[in-house]
Amino acid sequence: MSQRRTTAILERAGLDDLVEVLRAQGRTVIGPTVRDGAVVLAELTAASQLPFGWGTQVEAGRYRLVPRTDGAAFAHTTGPQSWKAYLHPEREKLWSADRTADGQLTVTDERPPRPSYAFLGVRPCDLRAIAIQDRVLAGGRYRDRDYEERRSGAFLVVAECTEPGATCFCASMGSGPGADEGFDLALTELVDEAGHRFLVRVGSDAGGELLSAVAHRPADPGTDTAAHHAVDAARERMGRAMPPVDLRTLMGGSLDADRWDDVAARCLTCGNCTMVCPTCFCTTTEEVTDLSGDHAERWQRWDSCFDLDFSYLQGGPVRASARSRYRQWMTHKLSTWYEQFGSSGCVGCGRCITWCPVGIDITEEAAALHDELAERLRQDERTEPER
Ligand code: SF4
Ligand code: SF4
């Protein structure tokens, strides 16, 4: 059931208030901003740092910033980072150990302090991705204490999508372009003859309290309708779609598909797709020592199923070929993730398509696998002996 309870309208100045109040509450506000030719996530000290007047053009293996004349703040698609950069950081020192003069060891917990985060401008697909990482890292038998501590107090302000990118396919994964639950506040940005404004919906008590502390006015039916239409129109203009088939059956029936050779001929096994994916969660730990041997550190960093070391067991990697590694990644995302965590591992954000250096497209690969499996089943039917 869609939670589309309209509560208020924020003007542009209300967005300034929002950031100020969140910071006054002691929160570290993270949101999109323009840096190095991309919309990236960074700490914001003022709403003016949002990417007002910037949009993005994306395609397989391609990302460009493009100026916009309407001054919209959230008219861009997902950038190279996702919120896991803050909740489940790429690299983190866990502890260090030092040898003392009397030959003993002292061990120091090096985990940095946990900020109280507010995430501003979370896309609906990324909101779903956070829920998926909640399940993976904090919802099962083995829990990541560091993730839980970062996530527990995080305040989430969603920005619904009205400008989908050419690599987005959240509509076909049921994770966008609108948001129904899991947020504190949800914004829908509108820039039209009635002005630049944000329709706000409240999703939690904390969201309601925050809204009461910032300048706002009651929502009018015209803005409410316009916001609904903008999100519905985005759904219709989605750049890509996953084939409308049972993906679990498809992947289960495609283990020996010829298509894996085709993708392996293109895949560089660079692992970019896993680094940018908002749900990929694998990490490894490594120890480093200084030259004296008196100081050692343990670090945790993201790992990738595209690395040969990832599946190294007793003398060699289990998945030595590019074929087996791409198949593992895609099959896990679309199929075996359900067995492990009860949902798809893909939210249709399109990042793995945009940031793949050779433009491999998970929706195109799924469609090709579907065609190959359908053809194989047709052939099997033709060759099946009559009883
Ligand atoms: S699919 Fe693309 S991004 Fe992923 S490992 Fe292969 S080349 Fe790299
Ligand atoms: S597999 Fe690709 S489209 Fe799906 S969530 Fe990961 S990066 Fe986004």
Side-chain angles (χ1 to χ4, degrees), residues 169 273 276-279 329 333 345-352 362:
F169 58 100
C273 45
V276 296
C277 179
T279 67
W329 176 72
K333 283 282 151 199
C346 174
V347 297
C349 72
R351 286 186 179 90
C352 58
I362 189 171

Side-chain angles (χ1 to χ4, degrees), residues 295-337:
H295 178 79
E297 297 174 352
R298 170 170 279 199
W299 288 78
Q300 177 176 283
R301 65 165 175 81
W302 290 348
D303 204 351
S304 169
C305 50
F306 283 89
D307 285 351
L308 275 175
D309 279 353
F310 186 86
S311 68
Y312 192 96
L313 279 181
Q314 187 67 16
V318 172
R319 290 186 285 270
S321 67
R323 171 190 163 100
S324 62
R325 276 176 275 163
Y326 188 87
R327 181 181 63 185
Q328 152 65 23
W329 176 72
M330 186 170 163
T331 304
H332 189 211
K333 283 282 151 199
L334 301 182
S335 174
T336 48
W337 203 289

Side-chain angles (χ1 to χ4, degrees), residues 16 200 213 222 283 344:
D16 294 326
V200 189
T283 54
S344 169

